Amino acid sequence: MSTPPRQKRLTPADITALKGNRPIVSLTAYTTPIARILDRHCNLLLVGDSLGMVLYGMDTTVGVTMDMMVAHGQAVMRGVSRACVIVDLPFGSYQESKEQAFRNAVRLMKETGCDGVKLEGGAEMAETVAFLVSRGVPVFGHIGLMPQQVNTSGGYRSKGHSEAEQDKIRRDAKAIDEAGAFAMVIEGTVEPLAREITTTVMAATIGIGASPACDGQILVSDDMLGLFNEFKPRFVKHYSELAEVIEKAAGDYATEVKERVFPGQEHTFQIRPKK
């Protein structure tokens, strides 16, 4: 018995093919409902370890676990029919060895059905990237500001302000590119350097706090939606102010409950008359 063909989702190879053709639209997603909404607008959805801070209130991404990434990866995949989906390898799940990275990447792909994994690091991770790619795991790199290294890099500060930093980021981009990454995030990096790297690597570059010349852009969806008002990074643009909308809705609900306006009779179940 034949089954109807499923709609084809974008692959990592499709994302690389967009380089130099049209801008790649990317956002983070952590839940099924949000993934379902974003899917029609995005080429790539990233299940980022930023979920530790966005959903769980962590101060950094360091405390995120493999189990958390698997659970949210599964949730996102339930809501996607079009976009390429990449899941972050969390801190400590790939740095020990290329074999450890392979085991955890395979787990993510098998248990979620995602299209590939993302890991942070430059030249020091190139051997691992090549090891994964040669064994069938598409890898999305991440250079520049690397949140998993916040404890050794001096905090969340932009990169590339000195010649030494620029040279390191150039080497990182080249190493990850030559190792076979299909794309790389360039985060928190001075604009001219991000622009230069985009023209020198084969991989698609996805900017966040980088350059409009990158092959694509990504934002944390909760930042884009204006769900956080406590702090707004320089590179974030709010396309909505949902925190204010939610605040008003919760306030209106609380008032109606206190005044016994809600629920009304139209929100209750009555005994049906006997026939």
Side-chain angles (χ1 to χ4, degrees):
M1 178 179 175
S2 62
T3 57
R6 297 178 60 184
Q7 180 178 345
K8 183 178 182 294
R9 291 192 298 106
L10 293 174
T11 67
D14 292 328
I15 299 301
T16 306
L18 291 173
K19 182 180 179 71
N21 291 318
R22 65 178 189 270
I24 300 163
V25 180
S26 306
L27 284 167
T28 63
Y30 317 112
T31 65
T32 304
I34 293 298
R36 189 171 288 126
I37 293 168
L38 301 182
D39 182 49
R40 71 195 71 170
H41 302 287
C42 293
N43 306 115
L44 185 148
L45 290 177
L46 173 67
V47 186
D49 60 359
S50 50
L51 61 85
M53 302 169 75
V54 172
L55 299 184
Y56 293 91
M58 297 178 177
D59 291 331
T60 72
T61 63
V62 172
V64 175
T65 66
M66 278 290 295
D67 287 345
M68 291 165 68
M69 297 311 304
V70 168
H72 289 280
Q74 291 171 340
V76 168
M77 288 302 296
R78 295 185 193 109
V80 170
S81 62
R82 175 183 175 275
C84 178
V85 177
I86 302 299
V87 180
D88 265 342
L89 282 165
F91 178 73
S93 69
Y94 62 93
Q95 291 94 338
E96 181 181 341
S97 68
K98 58 185 183 295
E99 290 81 10
Q100 179 205 32
F102 180 71
R103 286 193 299 271
N104 284 317
V106 168
R107 180 187 172 193
L108 280 181
M109 294 187 70
K110 281 190 171 184
E111 295 186 23
T112 69
C114 71
D115 302 295
V117 300
K118 184 170 79 64
L119 56 78
E120 296 182 12
E124 75 281 4
M125 295 307 303
E127 183 181 357
T128 295
V129 172
F131 188 84
L132 297 184
V133 172
S134 67
R135 285 158 178 78
V137 178
V139 176
F140 191 7
H142 188 141
I143 63 170
L145 170 60
M146 291 179 275
Q148 291 182 5
Q149 297 184 18
V150 63
N151 290 321
T152 57
S153 64
Y156 296 100
R157 66 173 187 84
S158 57
K159 305 294 184 180
H161 295 281
S162 68
E163 287 190 15
E165 277 191 346
Q166 290 182 20
D167 287 343
K168 180 184 184 307
I169 294 171
R170 285 190 188 97
R171 291 195 301 271
D172 286 345
K174 184 174 187 291
I176 294 300
D177 188 46
E178 291 180 348
F182 74 91
M184 66 182 75
V185 168
I186 305 178
E187 179 171 358
T189 300
V190 294
E191 196 279 333
L193 179 58
R195 181 181 293 266
E196 173 194 326
I197 289 170
T198 298
T199 65
T200 60
V201 297
M202 297 295 292
T205 60
I206 310 295
I208 178 168
S211 171
C214 288
D215 297 305
Q217 302 295 327
I218 189 167
L219 284 176
V220 171
S221 55
D222 293 63
D223 286 339
M224 182 270 293
L225 294 169
L227 284 169
F228 293 110
N229 291 325
E230 292 83 4
F231 173 68
K232 180 182 176 183
R234 178 185 181 91
F235 54 82
V236 167
K237 179 177 179 179
H238 288 182
Y239 287 82
S240 186
E241 297 294 344
L242 292 193
E244 296 176 7
V245 175
I246 295 170
E247 175 75 25
K248 183 180 184 306
D252 290 346
Y253 166 73
T255 297
E256 290 196 0
V257 170
K258 292 172 184 176
E259 296 178 353
R260 297 192 182 280
V261 173
F262 178 84
Q265 287 299 312
E266 68 274 23
H267 305 114
T268 63
F269 300 96
Q270 303 300 318
I271 298 175
R272 297 188 182 95
K274 293 181 179 180
K275 294 182 180 179

